[in-house]
């Protein structure tokens, strides 16, 4: 039975394997291209947020240095042109970074750059997150108009409406309507920004509305650079700020006279052996005006200096010998003019 079956089965043609290969080759190529056309690489969301924060800090540092240049001008004069100053600094950052196809300072520290997402959607074999063309000239110009011009116009409009008190002018319905319109536009923008934030946290693309509208996506600039940013300077600045705030809080609570008395007691032996000029007032270090003597140590003071110290402290001690002053006497007189009551 087996021999008869084998004899009846015809042998395959000689070109059968070649025909099968030619028929399946397009399917294999399509499958390989579909798997290798895009290699997804997720862009760190933390890097993008850190880049935005670093750009803000850089702008603040430039603004601080520019304000110091005009520190000798009339006080409050530069405050009137604060929106223009902010717009000028933002324009400088845009001009020397995005316009010349370079990342902003924050993006450079985070190894990020802008890419035209519209061009990468139609290209094949794009390594997502690394390759792709930069922004076009139109995208750069619209980015400048939106970030620099838009923020400046909005800041000026808000300050003008607040100065004119459009929200309080009931007798002018047009101004009131304009104020309500401004508030609604601001509310819609905040709601849209919040929605964009949720999309950004989900997809990792387009951290703000301007980038989403322009299809300008932040991608990695170099595949071999790790996220290693030194925050040592910022940590030192934070520590110093906290320390200065603590000192400003504690210094008013401390009694400076107590520390001075302790210091005088510690240096009493040393000061007793050293020669001191008794012709000057130990408080103001000047020639005593209306000289008075502190009793019982007989050291000379200005009347105003000695009287104010004795009135401020119930147990005032001499600045030269640290002995308690119980009375004061006019220099060269035998009568004690003012008696210091010890409490």
């Amino acid at each position: 039975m087996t021999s008869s079956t084998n004899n009846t089965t015809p042998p395959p043609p000689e070109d059968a394997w070649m025909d099968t290969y030619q028929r399946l080759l397009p399917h294999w190529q399509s499958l390989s291209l579909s798997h290798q056309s895009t290699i997804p690489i997720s862009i760190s969301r933390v890097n993008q947020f850190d880049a935005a924060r670093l750009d803000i800090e850089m702008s603040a540092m430039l603004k601080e240095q520019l304000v110091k240049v005009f520190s000798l001008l009339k006080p409050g004069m530069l405050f009137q042109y604060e929106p223009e100053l902010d717009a000028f600094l933002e324009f400088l950052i845009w001009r020397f970074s995005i316009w010349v196809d370079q990342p902003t300072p924050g993006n450079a520290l985070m190894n990020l750059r802008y890419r035209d997402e519209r061009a990468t959607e139609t290209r094949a074999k794009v390594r997502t997150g690394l390759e792709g063309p930069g922004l076009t000239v139109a995208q750069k110009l619209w980015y400048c108009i939106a970030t620099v011009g838009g923020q400046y116009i909005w800041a000026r409009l808000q300050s003008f409406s607040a100065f004119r008190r459009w929200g309080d002018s009931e007798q002018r319905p047009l101004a009131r309507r304009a104020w309500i319109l401004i508030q609604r536009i601001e509310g819609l923008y905040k709601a849209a920004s919040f929605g964009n934030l949720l999309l950004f946290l989900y997809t990792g693309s387009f951290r703000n509305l301007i980038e989403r509208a322009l299809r300008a996506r932040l991608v990695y600039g170099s595949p071999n650079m790790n996220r290693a940013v030194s925050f040592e300077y910022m940590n030192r600045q934070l520590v110093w700020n906290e320390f200065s705030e603590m000192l400003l809080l504690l210094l008013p609570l401390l009694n400076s006279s107590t520390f001075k008395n302790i210091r005088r007691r510690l240096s009493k032996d040393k000061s007793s052996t050293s020669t001191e000029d008794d012709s000057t007032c130990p408080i103001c270090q000047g020639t005593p005006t209306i000289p008075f003597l502190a009793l019982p140590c007989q050291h000379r003071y200005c009347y105003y200096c000695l009287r104010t110290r004795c009135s401020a402290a119930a147990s005032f001690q001499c600045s030269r010998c640290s002995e308690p002053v119980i009375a004061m006497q006019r220099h060269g007189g035998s009568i004690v003019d003012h008696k210091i009551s010890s409490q």
Side-chain angles (χ1 to χ4, degrees), residues 99-249:
W99 178 250
V100 293
D101 294 326
Q102 295 294 329
T104 61
N107 293 340
L109 290 175
M110 293 290 108
N111 186 27
L112 297 173
R113 67 176 181 89
Y114 277 115
R115 183 181 73 181
D116 186 6
E117 196 68 10
R118 297 174 302 178
T120 59
E121 290 177 352
T122 58
R123 288 183 55 183
K125 296 184 180 180
V126 175
R127 188 176 176 86
T128 303
L130 294 177
E131 300 178 0
L135 301 181
T136 62
V137 176
Q139 286 176 314
K140 296 174 185 178
L141 292 176
W142 280 112
Y143 186 90
C144 177
I145 294 173
T147 56
V148 181
Q151 293 181 5
Y152 168 71
I153 293 174
W154 186 254
R156 270 302 178 192
L157 181 61
Q158 284 189 327
S159 62
F160 181 79
S161 60
F163 179 75
R164 297 285 182 174
R165 295 189 296 182
W166 286 359
D168 301 334
S169 57
E170 297 292 343
Q171 68 278 10
R172 292 183 298 173
L174 183 60
R176 180 67 179 177
R177 291 176 184 175
W179 174 261
I180 295 175
L181 180 62
I182 292 174
Q183 297 301 316
R184 289 181 178 178
I185 292 175
E186 185 176 4
L188 291 176
Y189 178 79
K190 290 182 179 179
S193 299
F194 180 73
N196 181 80
L197 176 61
L198 296 179
L199 289 176
F200 172 76
L201 295 177
Y202 180 73
T203 62
S205 304
F206 311 116
R207 61 187 176 183
N208 55 50
L209 293 175
I210 297 175
E211 294 177 359
R212 186 171 297 275
L214 298 177
R215 306 295 293 173
R217 184 184 178 187
L218 283 174
V219 296
Y220 289 126
S222 174
N224 301 321
M225 182 177 178
N226 297 325
R227 182 180 181 269
V229 180
S230 177
F231 293 97
E232 183 179 358
Y233 171 77
M234 297 178 66
N235 292 336
R236 290 201 307 265
Q237 188 71 15
L238 290 174
V239 171
W240 175 249
N241 289 338
E242 295 297 331
F243 181 71
S244 60
E245 290 180 1
M246 183 185 66
L247 289 180
L248 291 176
L249 177 65

Side-chain angles (χ1 to χ4, degrees), residues 63 76-87 152 156:
K63 182 178 179 180
M77 176 177 160
L78 196 62
F79 179 76
Q80 301 176 358
Y81 304 99
E82 187 174 3
E84 286 79 7
L85 180 61
D86 294 337
Y152 168 71
R156 270 302 178 192

